[in-house]
């Protein structure tokens, strides 16, 4: 993906057009620039996203002059932007939660700290950061909290039996509420379990505890309301109600019915099949990508730079690919990891691929994806993707919805049809591990798993450090009940290569 999400500040342009600067927030909407924003203000007196959402819902026809697909797109994108006003994307919340955790862990008197709540479950959007802190002596923690500021803009619907502290972290639009559950050291594991699950999960656990005459208490658990039961770990608590330890990502809704033993784990991952080098819009050389992978203990990587039509991301021409191939061959001589030469080939507006088949045939691995013309209707977009999937040289369809969490909903597409077609053609569907994307996500992963689709978890790394995002991908895989057996980058290099080449054989038979 081209890594350029920031848009120029529209206020100056709006001033030149003679409309108030408040109208600038309309330009947060994908596809709306100063001109359309000014027009919406002049013709419809709309100055805010709320106003636009309300008007578009009330009377979508009024806005047909902006294009039928545009209105459709606004209807999908507006809720995303409005939700962002009181919720924070995981890509923002998770690192901030980790940073506070590290800070609190160093305070005197604090014996244990953990991220909990929705961030620990890897929810895409989060109302706040939640932490559990075990404290023998609260004075240092209280001083820290005072410094962090008092209660501000905290959602009121977070009931908790544990003592809680509310403050905020970050700045400007990145400022988000923090809820700290303070527990006695002996109650840490129970408090962590109780605050991690969603209401359904906690309710089920509470019921199962009751069947064993156990109740939650400020010292952990109580038996028959008289005898306190020390609980050293979440695993121990789950064992008391006859359950295995459940990964936090499964502690929502019916997910606890899922047996965690088959699910993908971080340690299963043996390589990363989607990343960009300095040949297109990445900032690491091929040698540096290989070294990073080696440090991560990987067996292989695929270098998959953008294709020629994506000029904004310095897409490669067939000639560039040939020169890149010789650089890869050089790096292969000294690298410890195996390097697959691939490409992230653009799916053009009509569904053709950005390279002819003879160019694709020379690559070890072909990823197809959409980066342009997001404005097509759902039908056109679906046909476009189906046409690409029918190309026998395509191994993987990447970030298939084009969403950016908290920023845009992505393009309109019939996901069910695309998954069915991928299953039929034997095309893999990527789980893009970039925390801004996490695409495909839990509900679609479950459907793809049922259809027997192979789902590689790849980082799409452009910058140093981004290959570490694999953790987010694995965690999203767990949310989607993704078994290891359906993740092709858990295979050995030989097995993976065989799988990729088998598709090539099919392609040459078909052509
Ligand atoms: Zn990419
Ligand atoms: Zn991409």
């Amino acid at each position: 993906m081209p890594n350029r999400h920031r848009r120029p500040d529209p206020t100056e342009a709006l001033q030149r057009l003679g409309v108030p600067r408040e109208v600038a927030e309309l330009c947060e909407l994908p596809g709306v620039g100063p001109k359309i924003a000014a027009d919406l203000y002049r013709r419809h007196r709309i100055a805010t996203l709320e106003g636009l959402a309300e008007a578009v819902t009330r009377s979508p026809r009024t806005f047909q002059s902006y294009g039928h697909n545009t209105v459709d797109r606004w209807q999908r994108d507006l809720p995303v932007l409005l939700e962002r006003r009181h919720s924070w994307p995981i890509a923002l919340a998770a690192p901030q939660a980790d940073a506070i955790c590290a800070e609190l862990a160093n305070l005197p008197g604090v014996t244990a700290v953990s991220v909990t709540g929705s961030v620990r479950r890897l929810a895409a959007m989060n109302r706040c950061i939640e932490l559990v802190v075990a404290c023998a002596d609260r004075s240092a923690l209280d001083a820290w909290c005072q410094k962090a500021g008092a209660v501000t803009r905290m959602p009121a619907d977070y009931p908790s039996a544990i003592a809680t502290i509310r403050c905020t972290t970050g700045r400007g639009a990145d400022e988000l509420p923090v809820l700290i559950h303070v527990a006695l050291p002996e109650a840490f594991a129970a408090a962590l379990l109780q605050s991690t699950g969603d209401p359904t999960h906690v309710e089920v656990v509470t019921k199962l505890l009751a069947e064993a005459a156990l109740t939650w208490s400020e010292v952990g658990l109580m038996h028959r309301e008289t005898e306190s039961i020390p609980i050293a770990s979440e695993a121990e608590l789950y064992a008391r109600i006859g359950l295995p330890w459940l990964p936090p990502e499964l502690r929502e809704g019916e997910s606890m019915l899922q047996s965690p033993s088959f699910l993908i784990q971080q340690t299963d991952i043996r390589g990363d099949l989607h990343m960009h080098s300095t040949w297109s819009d990445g900032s690491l050389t091929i040698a540096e990508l290989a070294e990073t992978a080696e440090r991560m203990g990987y067996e292989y990587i695929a270098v998959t730079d953008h294709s020629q039509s994506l000029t904004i991301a310095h897409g490669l021409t067939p000639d560039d690919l040939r020169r890149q191939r010789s650089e890869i061959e050089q790096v292969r001589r000294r690298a410890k990891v195996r390097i697959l030469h691939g490409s992230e080939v653009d799916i053009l507006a009509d569904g053709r691929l950005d390279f002819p088949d003879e160019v694709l045939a020379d690559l070890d691995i072909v990823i197809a994806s959409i980066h342009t013309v997001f404005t097509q209707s759902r039908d056109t977009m679906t046909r476009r993707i189906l046409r690409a999937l029918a190309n026998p040289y395509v191994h993987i369809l990447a970030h298939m919805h084009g969403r950016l969490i908290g920023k845009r909903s992505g393009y309109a597409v019939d996901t069910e049809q695309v998954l069915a077609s991928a299953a039929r053609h034997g095309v893999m569907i990527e789980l893009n591990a970039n925390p801004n994307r996490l695409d495909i996500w839990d509900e679609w992963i479950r459907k793809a798993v049922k259809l027997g689709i192979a789902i590689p978890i790849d980082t799409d790394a452009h910058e140093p450090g981004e290959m570490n995002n694999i953790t987010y991908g694995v965690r999203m895989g767990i949310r989607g009940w993704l078994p290891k057996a359906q993740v092709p980058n858990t295979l050995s290099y030989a097995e993976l290569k065989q799988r990729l080449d088998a598709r090539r054989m099919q392609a040459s038979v078909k052509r």
Side-chain angles (χ1 to χ4, degrees):
M1 75 179 177
N3 246 0
R4 298 175 180 85
H5 307 314
R6 290 226 176 272
R7 309 220 251 147
D9 182 4
T11 39
E12 254 181 52
L14 286 169
Q15 257 165 355
R16 274 200 305 277
L17 290 162
V19 293
R21 58 189 317 139
E22 294 83 76
V23 177
E25 74 169 57
L26 293 177
C27 298
E28 287 171 37
L29 197 56
V32 174
K35 264 192 197 154
I36 295 180
D39 196 61
L40 284 167
Y41 179 73
R42 287 207 196 99
R43 283 171 57 194
H44 306 284
R45 288 285 135 194
I46 290 169
T48 62
L49 291 171
E50 271 102 347
L52 182 59
E54 199 202 314
V56 167
T57 310
R58 196 166 10 106
S59 157
R61 281 162 175 272
T62 313
F63 302 92
Q64 289 303 337
S65 60
Y66 299 100
H68 175 72
N69 295 339
T70 306
V71 176
D72 177 62
R73 201 172 163 205
W74 288 353
Q75 282 174 321
R76 285 181 294 112
D77 281 329
L78 280 164
V80 173
L81 293 179
L82 293 176
E83 187 189 11
R84 177 66 183 82
R85 301 251 161 114
H86 55 76
S87 296
W88 285 263
I90 190 70
L92 186 73
Q96 289 210 29
D98 288 341
I100 305 178
C101 245
E103 229 177 280
L104 295 183
N106 283 326
L107 295 179
V110 169
T111 57
V113 192
S114 172
V115 177
T116 189
S118 63
V119 175
R120 189 167 182 234
R121 300 195 305 270
L122 200 78
M125 295 297 288
N126 300 271
R127 299 282 302 276
C128 66
I129 287 175
E130 282 185 81
L131 303 165
V132 180
V133 180
C135 245
D137 169 6
R138 273 184 59 168
S139 45
L141 178 65
D142 286 343
W144 182 92
C145 290
Q146 222 155 35
K147 231 171 76 189
V151 186
T152 44
R153 292 196 294 285
M154 186 60 213
D157 53 347
Y158 275 92
S160 172
I162 314 159
T164 57
I165 297 169
R166 291 157 183 197
C167 55
T168 59
T169 180
R171 284 194 181 168
D174 291 354
E175 182 183 274
L176 76 169
V178 181
L179 185 60
I180 301 176
H181 306 278
V182 187
L184 293 169
E186 59 269 35
F188 179 74
L192 181 57
L193 200 153
Q194 196 181 11
S195 57
T196 297
D198 76 345
T200 311
H201 186 83
V202 176
E203 196 188 312
V204 173
V205 171
T206 306
K207 264 190 198 149
L208 292 171
L209 285 172
E211 282 170 21
L214 293 166
T215 45
W216 303 103
S217 94
E218 59 190 17
V219 291
L221 289 181
M222 291 292 273
H223 186 242
R224 302 202 186 286
E225 290 176 16
T226 50
E227 178 200 355
S228 64
I229 310 278
I231 296 287
S233 66
E234 289 187 322
E236 196 182 316
L237 197 151
Y238 277 122
R240 286 198 172 252
I241 52 175
L243 288 173
W245 178 80
L246 289 167
E249 297 81 7
L250 285 184
R251 300 186 201 171
E252 270 185 23
E254 293 167 2
S255 285
M256 68 190 304
L257 302 173
Q258 194 60 28
S259 162
S261 60
F262 302 99
L263 299 181
I264 183 71
Q265 292 178 41
Q266 178 79 41
T267 46
D268 296 329
I269 301 290
R270 291 163 90 161
D272 192 334
L273 301 177
H274 183 171
M275 65 189 65
H276 299 269
S277 75
T278 45
W279 279 83
S280 65
D281 58 348
S283 63
L284 294 179
T285 63
I286 294 169
E288 286 165 339
L289 288 170
E291 282 157 23
T292 309
E294 195 188 314
R295 275 200 301 278
M296 293 176 74
Y298 282 166
E299 240 176 280
Y300 50 83
I301 53 169
V303 176
T304 53
D305 280 305
H306 291 289
S307 61
Q308 52 194 358
S309 75
L310 205 62
T311 46
I312 183 183
H314 313 290
L316 276 62
T317 63
D319 205 41
D320 294 331
L321 276 178
R322 272 189 291 278
R323 289 187 294 121
Q324 188 184 41
R325 164 75 65 163
S326 55
E327 182 177 324
I328 284 182
E329 272 159 13
Q330 273 176 21
V331 178
R332 275 175 182 160
R333 277 181 219 129
R334 23 174 229 278
K336 293 212 177 76
V337 293
R338 311 298 292 263
I339 305 170
L340 293 161
H341 186 205
S343 173
E344 180 179 13
V345 185
D346 257 65
I347 301 174
L348 304 176
D350 62 0
R352 278 178 306 126
L353 293 180
D354 197 15
F355 288 133
D357 286 356
E358 57 271 24
V359 172
L360 300 177
D362 277 345
L363 293 163
D364 301 321
I365 184 166
V366 173
I367 298 177
S369 61
I370 288 192
H371 298 103
T372 55
V373 201
F374 277 30
T375 48
Q376 288 174 331
S377 73
R378 190 165 185 261
D379 280 353
T380 309
M381 182 59 84
T382 304
R383 276 201 305 276
R384 174 181 178 186
I385 296 176
L386 294 187
R387 185 171 174 194
L389 294 183
N391 183 312
Y393 289 99
V394 171
H395 290 108
I396 301 174
L397 176 67
H399 49 71
M400 70 156 284
H401 296 94
R403 78 162 173 177
L404 290 176
I405 298 170
K407 291 198 184 95
R408 67 175 194 218
S409 67
Y411 36 80
V413 61
D414 183 340
T415 310
E416 307 256 4
Q417 255 202 74
V418 171
L419 292 183
S421 162
R424 218 169 35 248
H425 289 294
V427 175
M428 306 175 192
I429 300 281
E430 173 189 81
L431 193 185
N432 191 296
N434 184 307
N436 293 297
R437 291 186 179 269
L438 294 172
D439 183 6
I440 54 175
W441 56 92
D442 35 20
E443 59 169 310
W444 297 119
I445 296 169
R446 277 172 222 157
K447 296 213 163 143
V449 166
K450 270 200 192 136
L451 291 168
I453 294 170
I455 305 175
I457 304 175
D458 296 323
T459 61
D460 195 0
H462 286 72
E463 307 294 331
E466 285 187 357
M467 277 167 78
N468 292 325
N469 286 340
I470 194 73
T471 315
Y472 287 106
V474 169
R475 293 177 61 198
M476 181 50 83
I478 293 170
R479 277 181 73 93
W481 309 349
L482 176 57
K484 177 190 173 186
Q486 270 173 267
V487 182
N489 51 323
T490 63
L491 297 172
S492 69
Y493 176 78
E495 291 164 326
L496 176 75
K497 190 77 173 75
Q498 200 176 30
R499 164 105 54 122
L500 297 172
D501 292 348
R503 178 131 181 94
R504 280 285 176 275
M505 300 286 285
Q506 279 173 9
S508 54
V509 170
K510 274 184 193 157
R511 291 285 141 135

